[in-house]
Amino acid sequence: MMLRRMASLFSLHSRPQALFRLASAANRPVCRRNFHLSAVVQQTKDDDLFSSATPSGTPVSEASKSTTMSKAKSQDAATRREQQFYELVEYVTDRTGRKRAVKAGQVRQTAWLRLFQLANSSEQLQMVAELFPRWRDSGKEFRPIHAEAFIRRSEELKCPTLALKVFGDHSKYGLGLSSLFAARHMLHSVYAKHPLSDSMTVAALFGVYKLPPVSSDLAACSMLYLACLKDNSANAHVVGKALYEELQKQVQDKPPVRAPQDSVMRARYAEKPNIWLLDALKTIEKVHKKTGKEWRWIRYWTAEREWRPRNTFTPGQPATTAEHT
């Protein structure tokens, strides 16, 4: 029923302006109530704060007025953002599909990236996803950057299962899991807090999209193995055993990786695989300690300053940091 309503929303006979008016009307009373209550609470706090902090010649009411104006500007910015979102949805809807409602103008590749960023809820991101088939029907294709940006936004809005649905139905949506980076990120978005079945679905998509096997990538293998450790089923035990052996083998054959400590560097998207890998290994080490499984090989590998290939790990052996690939 919901999908039919979404489909009717984007038909050529409907107007997305109506959606914006409905969404704005539905949200306005809630926003007014929330704003009124927060302003009252904040004003009480500000009165206490500015009673001693403001100069004797500055009335307390002016400080309170300044706070209220700041909140009003913030509310205006949120309203403008929502309006921009629905306007761009309308623009894309009118200029994509087998029969374009508006012939003038064209939708650029960057319009999708803008829509991902403007979407401020899982419902709005779902709305964007329902536009994907129109792009394919226009004879256009998505690029790897779109897959990566969509997965990132799905994780930020706490709806990674939406990405699972989209990439699991390429014939409908036309958005492919076209890079190993995107596949790693999708696994990262589900392995810690979602059922093992979601992680296994992502692992299966590695093969569907002709990416390297999940077990061959150190970061992906670590995250999937950790997901198996958190599940007590017989299937998880079987899969986890195979992944454990592969993980040990890779750690023996590959140099250690390093994640940056600087917060600015850690925020860079290119650094994320190393961060995800080391975070997963750290948790695996803790789980192994708790359950009595061997864990020292993880500690030796992550703590090494220098490296050389070998079959066993012993503490204190020195060798070179290498970037994870």
mmCIF file of all heavy atoms in Angstrom, residues 11 21 23 43 128 173 187 196-197 283 287 324:
data_model
loop_
_atom_site.group_PDB
_atom_site.id
_atom_site.type_symbol
_atom_site.label_atom_id
_atom_site.label_comp_id
_atom_site.label_asym_id
_atom_site.label_seq_id
_atom_site.Cartn_x
_atom_site.Cartn_y
_atom_site.Cartn_z
ATOM 1 N N SER A 11 3.760 10.104 -10.150
ATOM 2 C CA SER A 11 3.186 9.977 -11.486
ATOM 3 C C SER A 11 3.141 11.342 -12.147
ATOM 4 O O SER A 11 3.184 12.375 -11.492
ATOM 5 C CB SER A 11 1.773 9.387 -11.396
ATOM 6 O OG SER A 11 0.919 10.302 -10.756
ATOM 7 N N ARG A 21 3.312 20.965 0.446
ATOM 8 C CA ARG A 21 2.314 21.672 1.245
ATOM 9 C C ARG A 21 1.771 20.786 2.349
ATOM 10 O O ARG A 21 1.566 21.223 3.478
ATOM 11 C CB ARG A 21 1.178 22.151 0.323
ATOM 12 C CG ARG A 21 1.586 23.310 -0.600
ATOM 13 C CD ARG A 21 0.353 23.961 -1.198
ATOM 14 N NE ARG A 21 -0.360 23.044 -2.090
ATOM 15 C CZ ARG A 21 -0.126 22.961 -3.389
ATOM 16 N NH1 ARG A 21 0.814 23.701 -3.956
ATOM 17 N NH2 ARG A 21 -0.814 22.120 -4.133
ATOM 18 N N ALA A 23 3.336 18.178 3.743
ATOM 19 C CA ALA A 23 4.378 17.947 4.748
ATOM 20 C C ALA A 23 4.553 19.164 5.626
ATOM 21 O O ALA A 23 4.696 19.066 6.838
ATOM 22 C CB ALA A 23 5.696 17.603 4.052
ATOM 23 N N GLN A 43 14.699 30.043 28.008
ATOM 24 C CA GLN A 43 14.676 31.389 28.558
ATOM 25 C C GLN A 43 14.956 31.363 30.046
ATOM 26 O O GLN A 43 15.663 32.205 30.576
ATOM 27 C CB GLN A 43 13.323 32.042 28.276
ATOM 28 C CG GLN A 43 13.251 33.503 28.758
ATOM 29 C CD GLN A 43 11.959 34.163 28.346
ATOM 30 O OE1 GLN A 43 11.215 33.595 27.568
ATOM 31 N NE2 GLN A 43 11.717 35.345 28.853
ATOM 32 N N VAL A 128 13.499 9.760 -2.248
ATOM 33 C CA VAL A 128 14.531 9.914 -3.272
ATOM 34 C C VAL A 128 14.776 8.586 -3.984
ATOM 35 O O VAL A 128 14.900 8.533 -5.215
ATOM 36 C CB VAL A 128 15.842 10.438 -2.644
ATOM 37 C CG1 VAL A 128 16.945 10.515 -3.696
ATOM 38 C CG2 VAL A 128 15.636 11.815 -2.018
ATOM 39 N N TYR A 173 15.659 -0.469 -9.178
ATOM 40 C CA TYR A 173 16.222 0.841 -8.831
ATOM 41 C C TYR A 173 17.381 1.265 -9.736
ATOM 42 O O TYR A 173 17.611 2.460 -9.918
ATOM 43 C CB TYR A 173 16.683 0.840 -7.376
ATOM 44 C CG TYR A 173 15.553 0.692 -6.388
ATOM 45 C CD1 TYR A 173 15.272 -0.540 -5.793
ATOM 46 C CD2 TYR A 173 14.748 1.772 -6.067
ATOM 47 C CE1 TYR A 173 14.221 -0.681 -4.900
ATOM 48 C CE2 TYR A 173 13.695 1.643 -5.169
ATOM 49 C CZ TYR A 173 13.445 0.405 -4.589
ATOM 50 O OH TYR A 173 12.399 0.278 -3.713
ATOM 51 N N LEU A 187 28.392 -2.956 4.684
ATOM 52 C CA LEU A 187 28.590 -3.976 5.718
ATOM 53 C C LEU A 187 28.818 -3.315 7.071
ATOM 54 O O LEU A 187 28.272 -3.750 8.094
ATOM 55 C CB LEU A 187 29.775 -4.868 5.345
ATOM 56 C CG LEU A 187 30.082 -6.033 6.295
ATOM 57 C CD1 LEU A 187 28.864 -6.923 6.478
ATOM 58 C CD2 LEU A 187 31.273 -6.833 5.792
ATOM 59 N N LEU A 196 22.338 -10.842 11.969
ATOM 60 C CA LEU A 196 23.372 -11.429 11.116
ATOM 61 C C LEU A 196 22.870 -11.586 9.682
ATOM 62 O O LEU A 196 23.654 -11.476 8.733
ATOM 63 C CB LEU A 196 23.799 -12.785 11.681
ATOM 64 C CG LEU A 196 24.815 -13.581 10.857
ATOM 65 C CD1 LEU A 196 26.121 -12.810 10.707
ATOM 66 C CD2 LEU A 196 25.061 -14.945 11.496
ATOM 67 N N SER A 197 21.577 -11.828 9.511
ATOM 68 C CA SER A 197 21.025 -12.019 8.167
ATOM 69 C C SER A 197 21.283 -10.809 7.271
ATOM 70 O O SER A 197 21.506 -10.959 6.055
ATOM 71 C CB SER A 197 19.528 -12.302 8.239
ATOM 72 O OG SER A 197 18.841 -11.244 8.903
ATOM 73 N N THR A 283 37.472 -5.233 18.916
ATOM 74 C CA THR A 283 36.319 -5.897 19.533
ATOM 75 C C THR A 283 36.465 -7.419 19.473
ATOM 76 O O THR A 283 36.102 -8.119 20.428
ATOM 77 C CB THR A 283 35.022 -5.465 18.818
ATOM 78 O OG1 THR A 283 34.946 -4.037 18.798
ATOM 79 C CG2 THR A 283 33.800 -6.020 19.542
ATOM 80 N N VAL A 287 36.262 -10.106 22.596
ATOM 81 C CA VAL A 287 35.374 -11.264 22.611
ATOM 82 C C VAL A 287 36.173 -12.552 22.785
ATOM 83 O O VAL A 287 35.780 -13.451 23.546
ATOM 84 C CB VAL A 287 34.538 -11.323 21.317
ATOM 85 C CG1 VAL A 287 33.717 -12.604 21.267
ATOM 86 C CG2 VAL A 287 33.628 -10.107 21.204
ATOM 87 N N HIS A 324 46.246 -0.032 3.957
ATOM 88 C CA HIS A 324 45.303 -1.112 3.654
ATOM 89 C C HIS A 324 44.723 -0.931 2.261
ATOM 90 O O HIS A 324 44.387 0.177 1.872
ATOM 91 C CB HIS A 324 44.166 -1.077 4.692
ATOM 92 C CG HIS A 324 43.075 -2.046 4.399
ATOM 93 N ND1 HIS A 324 43.279 -3.383 4.279
ATOM 94 C CD2 HIS A 324 41.749 -1.851 4.216
ATOM 95 C CE1 HIS A 324 42.144 -3.981 4.050
ATOM 96 N NE2 HIS A 324 41.198 -3.077 3.983
#
